[in-house]
Amino acid sequence: MISFQRIGGLSALVAAATYLVGFWLYFQLLEPAQYGSSLLPPLQHAGFLAENEALMRGWNFTIYIVNGVFLTILAIAVHRRLAGAPTGLALCATAFGLMWATLVLASGMVANVSLGVITGLYETEPVQAAATWLVLTTVQEGLGGGNELVGGLWILLVSAAAQCARGLPTWLNLLGVTIGLAGLLTLVPGLTDAGAVFGLGMIAWFIAVGFALLFGRRPDESIASR
């Protein structure tokens, strides 16, 4: 028998791993190539995708699809730690968590479909591929890559509810508030770099929550291990 809390803890660690992979690849490949930078023409970005299609497809799958699946499980597992908090607060927190997971999955599906379309066009219509890259990247960024509103709200609400319910350690809730505020700052023009603080902070939060769910007090509910 394995408790759902432990499944949630493992999911949190997987989510942290996807962020680590994402940051590693970003600094190893994307940042040196200035991929996504407005300083470079869209045609150059489309060419970058065409040259690195397999790697980018794997990156999208890891940071979006894998992360979104395990984020869904984690949001439900964390909800059980909010028992004792005001019902409305706990439900709102979980709703934003599931909403965030949905947006992450949607971003991943758009990213991989875009990748196939752009690389296919680049061989025969490079200018059209560049225009398509610009449009689809904007859609993807709007879904979740360009700001961290929903994720930031989830962490803030979870931290507040967990503090009321004493479901997570106080230091972890304070960390969550800090990370959540960094996420909200990405909405402010000129402060989008706060997204890096949010992302790095989320790695620490996922790991800490993972261990809390794995080894902390947990509900009696359990499910059969399959």
Side-chain angles (χ1 to χ4, degrees):
M1 304 292 285
I2 180 171
S3 72
F4 191 76
Q5 289 287 281
R6 288 190 174 181
I7 293 175
L10 292 174
S11 297
L13 297 180
V14 172
T18 64
Y19 270 57
L20 288 171
V21 170
F23 272 108
W24 177 80
L25 189 57
Y26 176 79
F27 287 112
Q28 286 293 315
L29 181 65
L30 275 67
E31 198 275 338
Q34 296 186 354
Y35 177 73
S37 171
S38 59
L39 300 176
L40 300 180
L43 183 60
Q44 189 166 332
H45 297 310
F48 176 85
L49 290 183
E51 293 173 4
N52 299 278
E53 180 179 3
L55 192 58
M56 291 300 294
R57 194 173 294 278
W59 189 64
N60 289 334
F61 180 77
T62 301
I63 67 170
Y64 292 121
I65 305 303
V66 176
N67 180 270
V69 169
F70 286 96
L71 186 59
T72 302
I73 299 171
L74 176 60
I76 296 171
V78 168
H79 179 75
R80 292 182 55 76
R81 289 301 183 101
L82 308 184
T87 302
L89 179 61
L91 288 175
C92 282
T94 302
F96 275 106
L98 295 175
M99 195 185 306
W100 190 28
T102 300
L103 290 172
V104 169
L105 287 168
S107 295
M109 290 185 284
V110 169
N112 272 337
V113 170
S114 301
L115 183 59
V117 172
I118 293 167
T119 54
L121 281 172
Y122 188 77
E123 297 180 2
T124 56
E125 306 258 0
V127 175
Q128 185 63 36
T132 303
W133 176 87
L134 188 59
V135 172
L136 293 179
T137 299
T138 302
V139 172
Q140 182 188 340
E141 290 291 296
L143 284 173
N147 65 77
E148 301 294 350
L149 170 63
V150 179
L153 284 174
W154 179 52
I155 300 301
L156 278 174
L157 293 171
V158 162
S159 300
Q163 187 64 24
C164 292
R166 298 188 178 182
L168 293 172
T170 297
W171 70 266
L172 183 51
N173 295 329
L174 291 175
L175 175 63
V177 169
T178 302
I179 296 167
L181 290 174
L184 296 185
L185 284 177
T186 61
L187 296 173
V188 181
L191 294 180
T192 54
D193 287 345
V197 176
F198 176 83
L200 291 170
M202 284 304 303
I203 295 173
W205 190 86
F206 281 138
I207 293 173
V209 168
F211 279 98
L213 295 180
L214 283 170
F215 304 112
R217 67 175 181 84
R218 55 186 182 272
D220 293 332
E221 180 191 52
S222 62
I223 62 174
S225 179
R226 297 183 183 272

